[in-house]
Amino acid sequence: MRLNQGTEGRNKLAELLHAEQQSQPVRADRGGESAAANSTTAPAASAARCVVVIDEGEFQGHLIPALELVRMLCARGHRVHFFAAEGVRERVEATGAIFQPYDLGIDSSDEGACWSSRKEAVRQLQSMGYQAPPEMYDHPFLAQLPASLGLLERGLATRVRELQPALIIADMGHPWGPMVAEVLGLPLVTLMSCTYAPRKQLIEAFGLQEWMEEASQQDYMQAVCQRLRSRFGLTYEPLHIYDHLSEFQICNTMPEFDQAAARAIKQSPLIKCYGPSFPPLIGEGTEVMPDEDLQGFPLESLRAAKQEGRKIVYFSMGTVAGQYKFANSIVPAVQAAVEALGPQPQLLVVLSVGPRMNMEELPTMPSNFMVRRSVPQKSVLGLADVFITHMGSNSVNEGIFMGCPMVAIPNFSDQNTNAARATELGIAVNIPSPCAPLPVKDLTHVTAERLGEAVEQVLSEPRFKNACLQLSHRARQRRRYFDLEAANEIFAYADQWHKKRHCAAVPDGSNNVGLSGQGISCTPANQPGSAAAGAHAAATFTRIASH
């Protein structure tokens, strides 16, 4: 069945949730839902489609939801081409997708040569006779616009066009995906990997206002904008580097938690909340776990510790904080954890510090700490008793899905909103940022005493676990709906988009959006009467103050 009307889709979801709530009451143990109940076989797609997914690959909170969507599409027989950095090739190919590197000339065996948006931006600016500012080498947001121009000029749109996709799926945080959709005149679905927020609030919440206002006045950025206009017909304001939202949006959150998303889906039937993106669950009884690569992590050590009566504390501040110069250091929070939890042998602490952390900055670790750059987070959360987290949207979703209550240490952006909401719902104890809603300056407010008290409160009061299990049940219901209907809704939108575009074609049957010769030309998205104008107006690159 294909859902063409938003109201019908919402009604079907409501019926599914209600029916399953009646037939499967929430259980107090982790085995409340069996693997069979969480791996619903999706109906076969009516026809295989070609889909292009455009991501960067560097930020896990953005990549993980995209991978699960791709896994579902490939399982239905669709052909998916996934554009990303070389470093995530294996993870992309494991979903069944065809990996497409951004730089075809890079030797994948040379790890130091791997593509990144910052390298792309530096290369593009140098080709235009500009020297990239030093901060661009470590600031992904400053690099987004020059990198987009570089990818377009090196033929990204041409490569996508040759694949003849039915639609493009792109992360909202990287402008080159929506730009390619605009240039080629293709329907666009954007993935919103953070808690839902109006576009104009995102730049402020991330603390990027001052950075980007200054950057927008620089000669190099104005030159980039001018070339985007002259060569590709794209009018773009540098201040908006994190808000590339199309008409059809997939929010990787759940309205039961995300109040802004709950309001948004009532306003538009094309804003979808399918819940946390998660692989199938396997196992029975009291331990139902996600089917994910364990990355060599000794999960049996955690199981053995639990059998001995020890509690598992999982601590991760994500893959941004502590990894980049523009983000604060996590060392004060780690030091607080060492002092508060190290002297407690009844606790086993799993600490994930991120891929770019300078390990020499960390304090000496107690014997009850396991330290890794990364862990199979979903599986660890399946065994953990408490999750100390920065409250990034993906981490919160995974904590909820696995029924693990949290201690919140928010840093910036939606993390403050998530922490407040989790506290309100009784699934977390918050150590609030003194700078909220602005980004935190440092984590020195996270003291050993405060952190130790928060962990003890979550471990000693069952209400946190019970509340999290209630939300976990709802998240798993939404995951089953995602399996059943997400592809139908996405392709129904794409079909309707193409139909509208065909009707808007000029009388002679041609269309005004396309590629010509060596360069790419397109009708600007904001031009009256252009084929793309009515199709995904929310993704137009004419950014005005009223946004």
Side-chain angles (χ1 to χ4, degrees), residues 14 46 153 167 171 195 221 229 234 250 263 319 367 423 432 437 439 456 459 466 475 482 536:
S46 57
E153 292 201 337
L167 76 154
D171 186 276
T195 304
M221 195 67 84
R229 284 192 299 270
L234 299 170
I250 297 178
R263 292 189 293 270
T319 55
S367 59
T423 304
E456 176 60 26
L459 291 176
N466 293 335
F482 168 81
H536 52 279

Side-chain angles (χ1 to χ4, degrees), residues 217-236:
Q217 301 304 314
Q218 300 300 312
D219 290 344
Y220 76 87
M221 195 67 84
Q222 293 184 12
V224 167
C225 292
Q226 193 281 329
R227 189 174 291 197
L228 283 169
R229 284 192 299 270
S230 63
R231 296 205 62 186
F232 304 103
L234 299 170
T235 301
Y236 196 91

Side-chain angles (χ1 to χ4, degrees), residues 25-198:
V26 179
R27 315 260 178 93
D29 61 337
R30 207 178 303 274
E33 295 173 79
S34 68
N38 283 279
S39 57
T40 305
T41 301
S46 57
R49 311 288 188 96
C50 177
V51 177
V52 164
V53 177
I54 297 180
D55 203 307
E56 182 171 26
E58 185 170 357
F59 301 103
Q60 296 304 302
H62 296 247
L63 176 66
I64 290 171
L67 290 177
E68 292 309 320
L69 175 60
V70 168
R71 188 196 307 271
M72 181 271 291
L73 293 174
C74 291
R76 284 173 162 259
H78 300 294
R79 186 172 73 258
V80 181
H81 294 266
F82 198 113
F83 286 78
E86 183 69 38
V88 299
R89 175 188 288 269
E90 290 186 6
R91 294 173 66 185
V92 168
E93 292 178 343
T95 68
I98 302 167
F99 178 76
Q100 297 281 1
Y102 283 122
D103 195 328
L104 297 173
I106 282 181
D107 179 3
S108 60
S109 64
D110 184 359
E111 184 176 350
C114 283
W115 180 93
S116 73
S117 61
R118 295 179 299 286
K119 291 179 182 178
E120 183 70 52
V122 171
R123 172 167 53 183
Q124 178 62 27
L125 291 179
Q126 288 175 344
S127 73
M128 296 170 64
Y130 293 93
Q131 184 172 354
E135 58 267 24
M136 184 171 288
Y137 289 85
D138 195 68
H139 201 309
F141 297 107
L142 290 177
Q144 296 291 295
L145 209 54
S148 298
L149 176 59
L151 288 170
L152 287 173
E153 292 201 337
R154 291 195 303 108
L156 178 60
T158 303
R159 290 175 62 193
V160 172
R161 181 194 60 171
E162 291 172 350
L163 298 173
Q164 299 183 348
L167 76 154
I168 290 177
I169 299 174
D171 186 276
M172 69 169 193
H174 311 307
W176 54 87
M179 285 180 178
V180 168
E182 197 75 22
V183 166
L184 297 181
L186 288 170
L188 172 68
V189 171
T190 46
L191 302 179
M192 190 169 195
S193 52
C194 65
T195 304
Y196 195 85

Side-chain angles (χ1 to χ4, degrees), residues 257-316:
F257 178 84
D258 187 343
Q259 293 174 303
R263 292 189 293 270
I265 60 176
K266 291 180 180 179
Q267 296 170 359
S268 171
L270 295 178
I271 297 177
K272 306 292 183 179
C273 285
Y274 295 127
S277 295
F278 233 77
L281 299 181
I282 57 177
E284 297 288 346
T286 59
E287 187 179 291
V288 178
M289 301 292 283
D291 183 11
E292 69 172 337
D293 182 4
L294 296 182
Q295 308 169 33
F297 183 82
L299 207 62
E300 290 303 321
S301 298
L302 273 60
R303 292 191 176 101
K306 290 184 75 71
Q307 290 176 356
E308 295 169 359
R310 300 173 73 186
K311 298 293 185 181
I312 308 298
V313 178
Y314 174 49
F315 184 1
S316 172

Side-chain angles (χ1 to χ4, degrees), residues 291-520:
D291 183 11
E292 69 172 337
D293 182 4
L294 296 182
Q295 308 169 33
F297 183 82
L299 207 62
E300 290 303 321
S301 298
L302 273 60
R303 292 191 176 101
K306 290 184 75 71
Q307 290 176 356
E308 295 169 359
R310 300 173 73 186
K311 298 293 185 181
I312 308 298
V313 178
Y314 174 49
F315 184 1
S316 172
M317 294 296 286
T319 55
V320 175
Q323 314 296 306
Y324 299 92
K325 292 179 180 178
F326 73 89
N328 56 275
S329 170
I330 67 171
V331 172
V334 173
Q335 181 65 49
V338 166
E339 295 176 12
L341 310 179
Q344 302 188 53
Q346 75 277 16
L347 302 179
L348 175 58
V349 181
V350 179
L351 172 62
S352 178
V353 297
R356 294 163 57 96
M357 180 71 196
N358 182 355
M359 304 294 275
E360 295 181 357
E361 295 179 2
L362 297 174
T364 302
M365 292 295 153
S367 59
N368 63 335
F369 273 58
M370 295 175 60
V371 183
R372 300 287 190 278
R373 287 198 176 276
S374 65
V375 304
Q377 181 163 285
K378 304 175 187 69
S379 296
V380 171
L381 286 170
L383 295 173
D385 297 286
V386 60
F387 180 19
I388 303 174
T389 170
H390 63 306
M391 300 302 287
S393 184
N394 192 66
S395 291
V396 172
N397 284 336
E398 293 184 355
I400 289 174
F401 199 93
M402 296 309 296
C404 184
M406 294 162 251
V407 169
I409 307 177
N411 286 263
F412 55 81
S413 182
D414 59 334
Q415 297 168 19
N416 291 301
T417 302
N418 292 340
R421 179 61 172 160
T423 304
E424 179 184 352
L425 292 172
I427 64 172
V429 173
N430 188 19
I431 302 177
S433 163
C435 303
L438 297 176
V440 69
K441 295 180 179 178
D442 56 52
L443 293 176
T444 55
H445 66 286
V446 183
T447 64
E449 181 180 9
R450 295 185 76 182
L451 184 59
E453 289 174 351
V455 170
E456 176 60 26
Q457 185 177 359
V458 172
L459 291 176
S460 63
E461 298 182 24
R463 63 186 176 92
F464 291 101
K465 179 69 171 181
N466 293 335
C468 208
L469 286 173
Q470 291 283 343
L471 272 180
S472 174
H473 183 69
R474 301 289 283 185
R476 296 184 185 195
Q477 288 173 328
R478 287 191 174 275
R479 179 64 176 81
R480 287 192 288 279
Y481 181 81
F482 168 81
D483 278 335
L484 289 168
E485 295 296 342
N488 292 336
E489 294 180 344
I490 289 169
F491 290 121
Y493 168 73
D495 290 343
Q496 189 175 48
W497 190 96
H498 283 292
K499 183 177 180 180
K500 288 182 179 179
R501 185 173 186 270
H502 177 75
C503 293
V506 293
D508 63 0
S510 65
N511 76 64
N512 295 326
V513 183
L515 298 168
S516 61
Q518 296 297 315
I520 305 172

